[in-house]
Amino acid sequence: MPFKATILRNVIGLCLLFLFSCGINKSINHQPQLDGYTQDIHSLTIVNDSTYKAGQNYLLKNKFGQWEARISGDPLERGLILGSLSKPLIDKQEAVFFEKIQQLVPNESKQKLLRKFLDWYNRKMYLHVPEEFKTEIWGVSRYASDKYDFIAPNYLRFLYLHSSHDIGHALQDLALVGCTSFAAWNDKTENGDLILGRNFDFYAGDEFAENKIILFVEPNKGNKFMSVTWGGMIGVVSGMNDKGLTVTINAGKSKIPLAAKDPISLVSREILQYASTIEEAISIAKKREVFVSEAIMVGSAIDGKAALIEVSPNNLGVFEVPNSNELICSNHFQSEAYKDDRRNERTIEESHTAYRYKKMQELLESQNKINVSDAVSILRNKEGLNGKVLGYGNEKAINQLLAHHGIVFKPGELKVWVSSNPYQLGTFVAYDLNEVFKNDIGTNPKSMAIDSINIPADSFRKSEEYKTYEIYRKKEFEIEQAIINKELIPNFEPQEFISLNPNYWKSHFLAGRYLYSEENYKSAINFFRNSLTKEIPSIPETEEVKKFLKKSLRKSR
């Protein structure tokens, strides 16, 4: 995997093509349950250019650049309200996904071939999604743009968008989300409180993370809850309910399944809405058929601890550490159910998941009594084991500088802290679900953030190193594109590029790859050799560097 960003973009392209296919299979005739639900909702009131209201429901932008939304009602009502309030955000998220199609897969014949395959692939997904969530998605989809009707009807388009997390790493046998999460409790934390933290390292381009939504939901059935989401998404990747139950998801190694089933974000949504304990969460997970491998970390105020529910298309395991006060999750499974799973073993051996697991262990061991501020510091850590410098953006780091969001939960107090942009470097904004759900919003909705307990932005955000890294990211993309498209970069200076991120293996490798593409094999050799002296995240990437070094040596003779 020489170019992570390029692979990621290509996988997202495949996900998008997946959506193209949904207009011609049998699911096109499916309609969710609408009878008996509220179809007349409060009209939208525009309070100002960043505040929208519909009855006691609202969407507003806080001073940290996050959107906050509160919705309530039955499934259809919730969907219609969310769609009405967030239509501009929905339109932007759709554009971010769909406008990449021609850029990523411009060849029409390849598109046609993939459409035929994916038409068969997604034929049964709608049969596995709970009726309630299909109805809610239908409500949201009523506010979709007509711009993409040529792809598929709005409802099916939105239904399949909920599986973009799953489809991405399923189609490429690749975990797109190198997330790391942890939980600590009893004598590992101040006052013995359960504390959980996670980085959601799902990267689909900078624009994708620009408009994250902190969504507070008061359904007519089940628990009230919050989640971190984006326009058009009702599934949950990180969230907590009013019983003090939390869910976060970490991708595992998956093979390509024969059919798409229940998206993992909707399984975690169901757990959040209908479970109060770890046992209840396990019971819900057992009922659902998923189509990728995923670890769901569940924290419970009632149980006073956390556990991992590790699901895959053909297996389910539960992992808890007896007599322990902490739990760590990266991107491999730990339960007895997967002890002989060769795919999981290979993930541990070849990828960066074990390294991040050990780094999290090191960080937790370095802390005596963890509090929320400590948890945020852990999520922001950019170093390798024993403080080793990895270079910015390295997948071996807990903080890879690409996270959609970082989040910390304190379930016993129903408090949650959500990072503001960029990545997990901005202010971690605090919310108290007790306060959010007890208050009438009145005439003018206001932010429910609690400034007095916010965790300040990382000082790194203001540093020259950060500014330089952002320049590096843009240059990295430019060089990758030039190599792929066989284009010339005028006045390319390899050492100047490397100086932007000198400790990162990939800066050296890309400099070498560009020179190699220009048939300057002799000059490329030292760059490949230097890359091998750095911390390379995975065995496949190490082998890729060695391959180009060997080819350069041969061709330079």
Side-chain angles (χ1 to χ4, degrees):
M1 291 178 284
F3 308 128
K4 177 187 174 186
T6 302
I7 291 173
L8 203 54
R9 288 191 295 273
N10 287 339
V11 172
I12 292 168
L14 291 175
C15 294
L16 299 176
L17 288 170
F18 173 96
L19 298 171
F20 269 83
S21 68
C22 64
I24 54 175
N25 63 36
K26 293 180 180 178
S27 63
I28 194 170
N29 297 316
H30 171 70
Q31 285 292 318
Q33 176 63 43
L34 303 179
D35 293 340
Y37 291 135
T38 303
Q39 301 200 31
D40 295 323
I41 61 171
H42 292 280
S43 59
L44 178 67
T45 299
I46 301 176
V47 179
N48 54 51
D49 60 0
S50 60
T51 306
Y52 308 88
K53 180 184 175 185
Q56 288 298 301
N57 308 278
Y58 65 86
L59 172 76
L60 60 83
K61 195 171 192 177
N62 65 30
K63 63 183 180 181
F64 303 100
Q66 299 165 313
W67 290 93
E68 299 174 22
R70 179 177 166 183
I71 63 171
S72 60
D74 63 40
L76 181 56
E77 187 177 12
R78 294 192 304 265
L80 291 170
I81 290 170
L82 185 59
S84 173
L85 290 170
S86 61
K87 178 173 172 51
L89 302 183
I90 292 170
D91 289 346
K92 181 162 186 178
Q93 291 303 118
E94 279 212 280
V96 167
F97 274 81
F98 295 123
E99 289 178 6
K100 291 180 182 289
I101 293 175
Q102 292 302 321
Q103 173 193 346
L104 297 175
V105 191
N107 187 290
E108 290 186 9
S109 61
K110 288 183 179 179
Q111 288 183 9
K112 185 178 294 186
L113 181 64
L114 282 169
R115 289 179 197 180
K116 289 180 179 179
F117 164 71
L118 293 170
D119 174 55
W120 171 82
Y121 179 74
N122 69 16
R123 65 199 183 278
K124 294 183 179 180
M125 183 187 290
Y126 74 100
L127 298 174
H128 295 273
V129 176
E131 288 295 329
E132 175 182 5
F133 300 149
K134 288 189 288 188
T135 300
E136 189 169 341
I137 290 169
W138 189 93
V140 174
S141 73
R142 295 307 90 193
Y143 293 87
S145 170
D146 295 336
K147 184 177 180 180
Y148 304 106
D149 284 354
F150 71 97
I151 295 173
N154 292 350
Y155 162 62
L156 286 179
R157 200 167 75 237
F158 274 57
L159 178 64
Y160 289 113
L161 277 170
H162 278 76
S163 65
S164 59
H165 170 94
D166 313 60
I167 299 165
H169 72 269
L171 285 178
Q172 286 279 332
D173 189 19
L174 179 70
L176 293 184
V177 207
C179 305
T180 316
S181 55
F182 73 92
W185 59 92
N186 291 344
D187 59 354
K188 190 61 183 175
T189 64
E190 287 185 0
N191 305 316
D193 296 325
L194 173 63
I195 294 176
L196 303 98
R198 76 86 52 93
N199 286 331
F200 183 59
D201 289 323
F202 181 84
Y203 183 76
D206 291 347
E207 287 183 302
F208 183 82
E210 283 180 358
N211 290 292
K212 64 173 66 74
I213 301 172
I214 318 303
L215 179 63
F216 303 98
V217 182
E218 191 169 357
N220 64 325
K221 293 180 181 179
N223 307 311
K224 304 171 187 176
F225 64 91
M226 66 76 58
S227 73
V228 184
T229 187
W230 48 86
M233 171 74 162
I234 72 159
V236 172
V237 296
S238 304
M240 178 171 68
N241 68 27
D242 62 350
K243 302 298 190 300
L245 188 97
T246 69
V247 294
T248 59
I249 57 176
N250 285 46
K253 196 73 169 178
S254 290
K255 62 181 179 180
I256 298 176
L258 295 178
K261 296 182 180 178
D262 198 0
I264 195 68
S265 69
L266 294 179
V267 176
S268 57
R269 159 67 188 269
E270 187 176 5
I271 289 171
L272 206 59
Q273 187 171 339
Y274 289 104
S276 302
T277 65
I278 292 171
E279 194 59 42
E280 290 175 359
I282 294 169
S283 178
I284 290 172
K286 284 180 176 178
K287 292 189 305 182
R288 297 300 171 200
E289 291 187 69
V290 299
F291 63 104
V292 294
S293 299
E294 201 89 15
I296 307 172
M297 180 175 279
V298 179
S300 169
I302 293 174
D303 296 308
K305 62 179 181 179
L308 293 173
I309 306 173
E310 299 175 339
V311 299
S312 64
N314 300 308
N315 205 355
L316 184 146
V318 177
F319 181 72
E320 299 180 77
V321 184
N323 305 314
S324 179
N325 54 14
E326 66 184 42
L327 184 66
I328 299 170
C329 182
S330 48
N331 294 102
H332 62 271
F333 289 163
Q334 305 172 60
S335 65
E336 190 71 13
Y338 295 91
K339 69 174 183 176
D340 298 320
D341 188 299
R342 181 56 193 149
R343 187 177 296 273
N344 188 53
E345 290 174 358
R346 192 165 63 249
T347 299
I348 296 170
E349 293 166 2
E350 297 183 355
S351 77
H352 43 80
T353 180
Y355 191 98
R356 282 184 287 108
Y357 187 95
K358 291 175 183 176
K359 181 60 183 179
M360 183 61 77
Q361 282 183 316
E362 180 182 275
L363 291 169
L364 290 175
E365 287 170 3
S366 70
Q367 302 285 343
N368 184 24
K369 300 281 187 178
I370 292 172
N371 57 30
V372 172
S373 182
D374 296 328
V376 170
S377 295
I378 288 171
L379 296 181
R380 288 172 171 169
N381 189 278
K382 299 178 288 296
E383 298 175 340
L385 289 168
N386 301 311
K388 184 166 186 177
V389 177
L390 298 174
Y392 297 128
N394 197 309
E395 290 171 297
K396 284 189 169 181
I398 302 300
N399 176 8
Q400 301 170 26
L401 292 172
L402 55 72
H404 180 272
H405 65 268
I407 191 167
V408 174
F409 302 101
K410 201 170 184 181
E413 297 179 6
L414 294 185
K415 291 189 174 78
V416 57
W417 288 258
V418 183
S419 69
S420 55
N421 290 334
Y423 321 122
Q424 61 275 74
L425 300 180
T427 299
F428 270 68
V429 184
Y431 300 92
D432 183 337
L433 296 196
N434 293 300
E435 296 299 317
V436 169
F437 289 119
K438 81 176 184 182
N439 290 336
D440 187 302
I441 68 168
T443 305
N444 294 310
K446 63 179 182 178
S447 171
M448 293 305 299
I450 308 173
D451 289 350
S452 61
I453 58 172
N454 287 346
I455 305 299
D458 193 333
S459 58
F460 176 70
R461 181 183 174 189
K462 299 290 186 180
S463 69
E464 288 301 316
E465 290 91 341
Y466 173 71
K467 294 175 184 176
T468 302
Y469 171 69
E470 287 299 303
I471 296 171
Y472 167 80
R473 291 178 67 236
K474 292 180 175 65
K475 293 289 186 182
E476 179 188 88
F477 177 80
E478 178 186 342
I479 294 171
E480 287 179 344
Q481 290 298 108
I483 294 169
I484 293 168
N485 299 323
K486 299 179 180 179
E487 297 172 343
L488 177 68
I489 300 176
N491 304 314
F492 176 66
E493 293 290 343
Q495 291 294 351
E496 182 180 327
F497 168 65
I498 288 170
S499 69
L500 298 172
N501 202 355
N503 297 302
Y504 189 29
W505 73 276
K506 191 175 178 182
S507 63
H508 298 268
F509 176 65
L510 280 179
R513 276 291 283 114
Y514 179 77
L515 292 171
Y516 182 93
S517 70
E518 293 294 302
E519 300 183 1
N520 190 348
Y521 307 118
K522 192 169 184 179
S523 296
I525 290 170
N526 284 337
F527 292 106
F528 293 136
R529 283 175 172 163
N530 288 338
S531 180
L532 289 170
T533 68
K534 309 300 180 183
E535 281 285 352
I536 302 178
S538 69
I539 289 177
E541 285 165 319
T542 301
E543 293 303 315
E544 186 76 12
V545 179
K546 289 180 178 178
K547 179 184 76 173
F548 276 98
L549 173 58
K550 184 177 180 180
K551 290 168 70 174
S552 296
L553 287 167
R554 186 178 69 249
K555 291 187 176 185
S556 65
R557 290 172 187 158

